[in-house]
Amino acid sequence: MAVIVGATAMVLPTTFAKSISKNTISSLSSIYNTHFLHHLPPQIHGYNSYGKYRNWVRNCSGICSIEGENNGTSVIRSPNLVALEYADLNLPHNCEEVGHVRIRQHVNPLTSAYSIPAEPPDWNAVYKDSTLPLMVDVGCGSGRFLLWLAKRNISHQNYLGLEIRGKLVKRANIWAMELGISNAHFIFANATVSFQQLVSSYPGPLMLVSVLCPDPHFKKKHHKRRVLQKPLVDAIVNNLSSGGQVFMQSDVLEVAVDMRNQFDSVSDLSHIDAINPSFICDHDGWLLSNPMGIRTEREIHAELEDAKIYRRMYQKNG
């Protein structure tokens, strides 16, 4: 059996080949997670980790197909690549409590329904240890990104996802409970109006805020709908602890430049490459790699279409 990525065919070991006879993504994800690290194809010798192989796939044409014994082909598209990226979470695409979640791509945050600040939860009930450093992901989407991070830092950091689409929040909290992840929580909130009230009440230090591929709201008359407005920038910087960081990215250059300009104007923040030379940027000042160790779902979709991801990371001055 061979896996074909673009024009590259890889002959897989017999144990792996037998395992992927089923062409469902759910079985493929679990098989990938349990077998691939131990049965690396010779064509990618040296790619001896999940992350390195993921990067290798990303750098190929973006279309991966699996040839079965009967020469049938199953094409892996971006939703399948998302499943592969987050395979070790072993999450279903939906759950019984919320049914099939139809994602509304564009939400107008200026409507009255989203103008009321969200009430802070009982942090001691939300987290096992509410004094741990906090990461907040603004516009967390499905929550997979935060759950992946939380699972790897279960006793070192708490994670809070703010999302304006309520069904996604409900599902993400169910996932966190089912996975036994006690350091991740999700809140239905318009971050622009709720960030200050929520984060200022948290008992521990705010150490990282991410704003990753927010809705671009392309039309000029809709730019006021963009999540990163001055009140949110001020709330992030004011609540960020000394040495805390802000990570922003977008696959839309105009949006990335707008976010960069807002954070560049804050005197309390320094771009990370000025502090740590190991963070390498291109000639325009964009980070060349993702420092988080995992891609967001939007990032996966964008890179599949050969889009560039524009990234900046800032650190609050001591």
Side-chain angles (χ1 to χ4, degrees):
M1 184 177 292
V3 171
I4 301 175
V5 183
T8 305
M10 302 182 297
V11 179
L12 300 182
T14 303
T15 54
F16 188 79
K18 289 180 179 179
S19 299
I20 58 175
S21 58
K22 295 182 180 180
N23 287 328
T24 61
I25 189 60
S26 57
S27 63
L28 178 60
S29 298
S30 59
I31 292 162
Y32 179 94
N33 186 49
T34 56
H35 290 275
F36 216 100
L37 297 184
H38 305 288
H39 301 292
L40 287 173
Q43 287 85 345
I44 54 172
H45 178 72
Y47 284 74
N48 56 359
S49 72
Y50 176 92
K52 288 183 179 179
Y53 175 73
R54 184 180 65 231
N55 291 337
W56 181 83
V57 171
R58 182 177 63 199
N59 290 332
C60 294
S61 67
I63 299 179
C64 176
S65 63
I66 299 174
E67 288 188 344
E69 295 176 359
N70 298 323
N71 295 323
T73 298
S74 181
V75 177
I76 298 181
R77 304 188 188 280
S78 57
N80 310 103
L81 292 177
V82 169
L84 287 174
E85 190 98 358
Y86 293 94
D88 62 341
L89 287 179
N90 197 28
L91 290 172
H93 288 288
N94 52 49
C95 55
E96 293 181 0
E97 287 81 354
V98 295
H100 177 69
V101 178
R102 306 187 96 183
I103 300 175
R104 187 176 180 183
Q105 294 295 332
H106 303 286
V107 175
N108 182 2
L110 300 181
T111 59
S112 58
Y114 304 121
S115 62
I116 301 174
E119 289 295 325
D122 179 351
W123 297 111
N124 291 322
V126 164
Y127 297 118
K128 183 178 180 180
D129 182 356
S130 63
T131 65
L132 291 177
L134 181 68
M135 172 185 175
V136 178
D137 186 26
V138 175
C140 63
S142 73
R144 288 183 178 90
F145 173 72
L146 276 193
L147 290 172
W148 190 91
L149 293 172
K151 184 178 178 181
R152 281 153 182 78
N153 297 281
I154 198 81
S155 60
H156 303 293
Q157 186 160 306
N158 288 332
Y159 295 83
L160 177 64
L162 304 182
E163 174 56 47
I164 204 169
R165 292 164 291 183
K167 280 190 175 182
L168 293 182
V169 171
K170 184 176 181 180
R171 185 179 67 178
N173 279 322
I174 291 171
W175 280 346
M177 180 179 64
E178 290 179 344
L179 292 171
I181 296 178
S182 60
N183 61 329
H185 184 67
F186 302 87
I187 294 178
F188 168 56
N190 179 350
T192 305
V193 299
S194 298
F195 189 96
Q196 174 64 33
Q197 180 166 304
L198 289 172
V199 176
S200 63
S201 69
Y202 180 74
L206 176 65
M207 296 306 300
L208 178 58
V209 177
S210 57
V211 187
L212 308 178
C213 299
D215 192 330
H217 291 292
F218 287 107
K219 294 182 179 179
K220 187 174 182 179
K221 66 178 181 179
H222 292 159
H223 285 185
K224 59 187 177 182
R225 297 181 182 181
R226 290 178 177 174
V227 64
L228 199 65
Q229 306 290 339
K230 190 176 186 305
L232 179 55
V233 173
D234 291 342
I236 291 173
V237 176
N238 291 339
N239 286 281
L240 200 63
S241 295
S242 177
Q245 297 175 330
V246 179
F247 178 47
M248 50 139 285
Q249 73 177 22
S250 177
D251 56 303
V252 180
L253 178 58
E254 177 195 343
V255 175
V257 169
D258 179 48
M259 293 194 292
R260 180 182 67 182
N261 289 343
Q262 295 195 58
F263 285 121
D264 280 356
S265 66
V266 179
S267 60
D268 287 343
L269 296 179
S270 296
H271 190 240
I272 193 67
D273 71 332
I275 300 170
N276 188 340
S278 66
F279 287 84
I280 303 174
C281 299
D282 64 16
H283 62 279
D284 292 319
W286 303 110
L287 289 173
L288 291 179
S289 61
N290 184 340
M292 302 304 295
I294 186 74
R295 294 181 294 167
T296 66
E297 293 171 53
R298 176 59 202 167
E299 196 173 347
I300 294 169
H301 298 323
E303 290 189 332
L304 183 61
E305 298 172 356
D306 294 325
K308 179 177 178 178
I309 307 297
Y310 302 92
R311 305 180 180 95
R312 295 272 285 181
M313 178 173 275
Y314 299 85
Q315 184 166 309
K316 189 170 183 179
N317 303 325

